[in-house]
Amino acid sequence: MYDIIIIGGGAAGMSAAIYAMRGGMKTLLLEKLSCGGQAANTYEVDNYPGFYNNPSGPQLMDAFEKHAEKFGVEIRSEAVREIINADGPVKTVKTRRNSYETKTIIIATGANPKKLGVEGETELAGSGVSYCATCDGAFFKGEDTVVIGGGNTAFEDALYLAGFCEHVFIMNRSKRFRASKTLVTKAKENPKITIYTDMIAEKFEGTQKLERIIAKNTETGEKGYINAAGVIIAIGITPDNMLAKACGIELCERGFIKTDMYLESSVNGIFAAGDCRVSPLRQIVTAAADGAVAATSAINHVLKGSV
């Protein structure tokens, strides 16, 4: 029997593990892939307090994992398939190989990148079409590359790619950017980056790999194309909340977990942290803070029976 089971090994899950172990809880962290979450796909982190030397995402998340391991947290690489008796005092978390009983659960399953849904996207995925600049950017070294999106991730990706690509084009569907002013200014000042506004991708073309993108101006309707070896699609995220939905946890209209101020969900004893929950900001620092709050609330639940 565990006191706390954490589902997800990103910044929120690792932070929760640290606080849970420091609180004397018997804790298990389950991660279906490798620990790090979306943060591990960030090429440089320049806004996490205390890490002024701009570590890479993998470096920062490795530090998170080592910190959790310092307190002896049990980490297992298993994908959770089901939560049984979710609203009971003893909950069962089932994976393909095992079943684990626990008093509380922290869901920190994060989110996945959204897809455009245009012709050629699925066919050329992994052959020029990518959702992770740090994962696949090296394949486009010395080539022209396109980044689609107008948020922080899109501009961070473009600045990263400009370090080794021939040229980088940012394609945004409107004149308005969701990215921070600092990132937009950096991109505009970089001679290797060109920003196209009021433009959407209609089709990805290529025989065996991406060769060009058919684009359309949203104001004039005029169509054209950009020759490119790679495209990074950075248009947002979709929460990975199938588990939460299956066990009756209340979600918002966009599928994120609703929580109270203690980060408890609508199901007693189940908490949520990080990108999977309703939040005005999704950053590594906020995910880490969520993990601390959720773990503290879970500890109080175990010790007192409720928060």
Side-chain angles (χ1 to χ4, degrees):
M1 168 77 76
Y2 289 93
D3 294 313
I4 301 173
I5 288 181
I6 301 163
I7 304 173
M14 285 296 170
S15 174
I18 291 167
Y19 274 77
M21 293 301 295
R22 289 181 72 247
M25 298 289 105
K26 184 179 181 183
T27 305
L28 171 66
L29 187 148
L30 298 169
E31 167 55 52
K32 62 183 176 181
L33 298 172
S34 57
C35 292
Q38 289 296 316
N41 295 327
T42 303
Y43 83 97
E44 183 180 74
V45 180
D46 66 355
N47 60 354
Y48 195 87
F51 287 79
Y52 62 89
N53 56 335
N54 292 17
S56 68
Q59 288 173 331
L60 181 60
M61 293 317 300
D62 183 61
F64 271 53
E65 187 172 358
K66 283 184 169 62
H67 198 160
E69 289 173 344
K70 165 188 164 184
F71 290 106
V73 66
E74 183 180 352
I75 301 175
R76 296 193 183 186
S77 297
E78 297 183 40
V80 177
R81 290 190 167 186
E82 186 180 6
I83 297 173
I84 299 173
N85 195 30
D87 57 354
V90 177
K91 311 169 195 301
T92 300
V93 177
K94 291 191 69 175
T95 68
R96 184 175 64 84
R97 298 191 299 270
N98 298 296
S99 292
Y100 304 100
E101 291 188 336
T102 183
K103 298 172 185 176
T104 62
I105 295 171
I106 297 174
I107 297 176
T109 45
N112 299 309
K114 289 182 179 178
K115 296 185 177 182
L116 283 174
V118 302
E119 185 178 348
E121 181 178 5
T122 299
E123 293 80 0
L124 293 172
S127 298
V129 175
S130 171
Y131 304 88
C132 175
T134 54
C135 303
D136 301 326
F139 293 115
F140 314 136
K141 184 177 181 180
E143 305 279 0
D144 287 348
T145 308
V146 175
V147 177
I148 298 176
N152 285 339
T153 299
F155 278 81
E156 287 172 353
D157 287 351
L159 289 164
Y160 167 65
L161 293 168
F164 52 84
C165 289
E166 179 67 22
H167 200 82
V168 180
F169 301 90
I170 297 176
M171 186 186 298
N172 190 43
R173 66 184 303 115
S174 70
K175 292 183 177 66
R176 182 180 177 183
F177 302 112
R178 291 176 289 107
S180 68
K181 185 177 180 180
T182 300
L183 285 173
V184 174
T185 299
K186 283 183 179 180
K188 287 181 176 179
E189 292 176 348
N190 193 311
K192 294 183 70 176
I193 296 176
T194 298
I195 301 174
Y196 289 132
T197 59
D198 302 315
M199 185 178 289
I200 59 172
E202 285 205 329
K203 184 180 180 181
F204 299 129
E205 291 186 338
T207 305
Q208 293 183 325
K209 61 180 182 178
L210 180 70
E211 296 172 10
R212 68 178 187 172
I213 300 169
I214 306 300
K216 176 183 176 181
N217 186 293
T218 57
E219 288 193 337
T220 66
E222 183 182 357
K223 293 187 179 181
Y225 66 87
I226 301 174
N227 291 323
V231 59
I232 306 297
I233 300 171
I235 57 171
I237 59 173
T238 300
D240 187 0
N241 279 336
M242 293 302 294
L243 278 173
K245 183 177 180 180
C247 64
I249 290 174
E250 185 179 1
L251 309 177
C252 75
E253 66 279 0
R254 295 173 58 207
F256 293 90
I257 296 173
K258 290 184 176 182
T259 63
D260 62 16
M261 65 181 291
Y262 300 102
L263 301 195
E264 187 169 20
S265 73
S266 60
V267 174
N268 187 42
I270 298 185
F271 304 83
D275 288 356
C276 65
R277 80 172 190 93
V278 174
S279 176
L281 183 64
R282 294 183 174 87
Q283 297 282 295
I284 300 173
V285 68
T286 56
D290 275 6
V293 174
T296 301
S297 298
I299 291 169
N300 288 335
H301 185 97
V302 172
L303 296 179
K304 302 178 183 177
S306 63
V307 176

